[in-house]
Amino acid sequence: MTQLSPAPAPAPPTARRSLTTGTIVATLALAVLLAAAWIWSNLLLMSFAAILIAIALRAGARGLNRLLGLNVKLGVLVVLLGVVAVLALLVRLAGPSVGDQFGQLADALPGSWQAIQDWASSWPVADTVIQRGEAAAGEDNAMQLAQRLPDVFGMVLGGLNSVLGSLSSAFLLLILSLYIAMEADLYRGGALRLVPLPRRPRAAQIMDELGEQLGRWMAGQALDMGIVAVLAGIGLYLLDVPLAFILAVIAGLTNIVPIIGPFFSGAIAVVVAAPQGLDTAIYVALLFTVIQVFEGEVLMPMIQKYAVQLPPALTVLAIVAVGALFGLVAVILATPLLIVVMHLVRRIYVEDVLGGRMD
């Protein structure tokens, strides 16, 4: 008769207690890390934005190193000073006319809104909504000035604090980006020292791949924004819409935020075009629709072949999630954050844990 092998002996109580204790400690450590990340979310988002800028600066410095043999650290300074010089030159040359166009845009918005109201008054539902809004505004204007002065004063102070905070944050972001770009190898080595020694080569590979993917995404996004701005400018010029240059710049800059950005820039263009007539406003809306269809169906897939290909549904979910958690400004970082998450899931979980391949 075949003898049955004896059943494995149960683990000693000490080992079970040790396993349970280790699980509890790991869970508590993960909870503490998540809580710290939530509390310092603004700092972490700023650090991530600084890393993105540093990647762009390093890419330019490496280009100068290949062309001129310039030291990478010195190249970072040259690239940064070059960008600042170009921006200063543009402000000096085009600043007065751009400022005038922005002033004209601000002056044109009330008339544009009035034109939209006149057009909407022909529709019963829209006319009712506008009348209720005007009634509410009239009641609000009837308030005593003395009662509103503290609120106005508080709004002014809040606006000044917001502007000063934004300027200080931008300056801090620039300095942080410069430090990271100049000492990238130092920070990379420090991050790798936190990884167990047997896993460091794999961690270094993943970090290098992430840097390459984020660099490609930024280059592709810059090209996409430039093409959208040029197409919008040409279309608005042919339609004889006023402030075509400013509207094209707004269309290019806001295109960095998928879905929300194009809708915002298109809405502004339609409002500005409204005093030219309903036909012009409709043509402008069609123009921005065609541009976005071309950008989404033709231009972006071509760019993504050489940059980073992202699932549209996940991109939308990332934008909604980041906007809900961290505010509207953080939406700009939603797509690069999605790139990081997807790459980490692919390399660490799918390949290293599950043993699969996604290439």
Side-chain angles (χ1 to χ4, degrees):
M1 297 180 60
T2 303
Q3 293 182 351
L4 299 176
S5 58
T14 304
R16 289 199 298 269
R17 285 196 300 270
S18 177
L19 179 61
T20 304
T21 303
T23 303
I24 294 175
V25 171
T27 303
L28 290 177
L30 179 60
V32 170
L33 287 176
L34 291 176
W38 177 258
I39 294 173
W40 296 329
S41 59
N42 291 334
L43 178 61
L44 293 177
L45 289 174
M46 177 180 289
S47 301
F48 183 67
I51 291 173
L52 292 178
I53 298 175
I55 290 174
L57 292 175
R58 293 279 295 189
R62 285 195 296 268
L64 292 177
N65 178 262
R66 288 192 297 268
L67 293 175
L68 306 175
L70 199 63
N71 180 272
V72 175
K73 291 185 179 180
L74 182 60
V76 169
L77 287 176
V78 171
V79 171
L80 180 60
L81 292 176
V83 172
V84 173
V86 170
L87 291 177
L89 182 62
L90 289 176
V91 170
R92 181 175 180 82
L93 295 178
S97 64
V98 171
D100 292 341
Q101 288 199 26
F102 268 116
Q104 294 174 24
L105 177 61
D107 295 337
L109 288 178
S112 302
W113 179 245
Q114 184 61 46
I116 293 176
Q117 284 182 321
D118 295 339
W119 171 76
S121 61
S122 61
W123 297 83
V125 175
D127 186 47
T128 302
V129 173
I130 293 174
Q131 289 179 359
R132 291 184 178 180
E134 291 176 346
E139 293 175 1
D140 183 65
N141 291 332
M143 295 177 62
Q144 296 295 327
L145 180 61
Q147 295 177 347
R148 301 187 62 184
L149 279 178
D151 296 335
V152 173
F153 186 67
M155 290 175 60
V156 172
L157 287 181
L160 289 175
N161 289 333
S162 178
V163 170
L164 292 176
S166 299
L167 291 176
S168 61
S169 298
F171 180 75
L172 178 61
L173 178 63
L174 183 62
I175 296 299
L176 187 60
S177 304
L178 182 61
Y179 283 147
I180 294 175
M182 296 187 67
E183 300 291 346
D185 294 334
L186 174 65
Y187 299 115
R188 178 179 179 275
L192 289 176
R193 289 189 181 92
L194 302 176
V195 180
L197 190 59
R199 306 297 299 172
R200 285 183 187 176
R202 176 64 167 169
Q205 176 192 357
I206 293 174
M207 290 177 63
D208 293 340
E209 290 174 348
L210 274 176
E212 182 179 357
Q213 287 199 2
L214 290 173
R216 287 182 178 180
W217 173 80
M218 285 188 287
Q221 192 65 49
L223 178 61
D224 180 72
M225 292 166 61
I227 294 176
V228 167
V230 170
L231 293 177
I234 294 174
L236 292 171
Y237 175 79
L238 293 177
L239 291 174
D240 198 24
V241 176
L243 312 175
F245 175 76
I246 289 297
L247 295 175
V249 171
I250 293 174
L253 292 177
T254 57
N255 203 63
I256 194 173
V257 183
I259 301 174
I260 300 176
F263 177 81
F264 176 76
S265 60
I268 293 179
V270 170
V271 170
V272 173
Q276 309 297 316
L278 179 60
D279 293 343
T280 304
I282 292 176
Y283 290 149
V284 169
L286 290 176
L287 169 67
F288 275 78
T289 302
V290 170
I291 290 175
Q292 289 309 311
V293 170
F294 170 76
E295 188 262 349
E297 300 297 330
V298 179
L299 179 60
M300 186 53 69
M302 292 175 59
I303 293 175
Q304 286 181 345
K305 287 182 179 179
Y306 303 97
V308 181
Q309 190 166 4
L310 297 173
L314 288 182
T315 303
V316 174
L317 290 177
I319 292 171
V320 174
V322 171
L325 290 174
F326 307 114
L328 187 60
V329 176
V331 168
I332 299 175
L333 301 176
T335 303
L337 284 172
L338 177 62
I339 293 173
V340 173
V341 172
M342 286 183 58
H343 191 72
L344 293 179
V345 169
R346 180 185 299 115
R347 291 289 185 249
I348 297 176
Y349 181 69
V350 175
E351 295 183 1
D352 294 350
V353 176
L354 300 182
R357 298 293 299 180
M358 294 186 64
D359 294 335

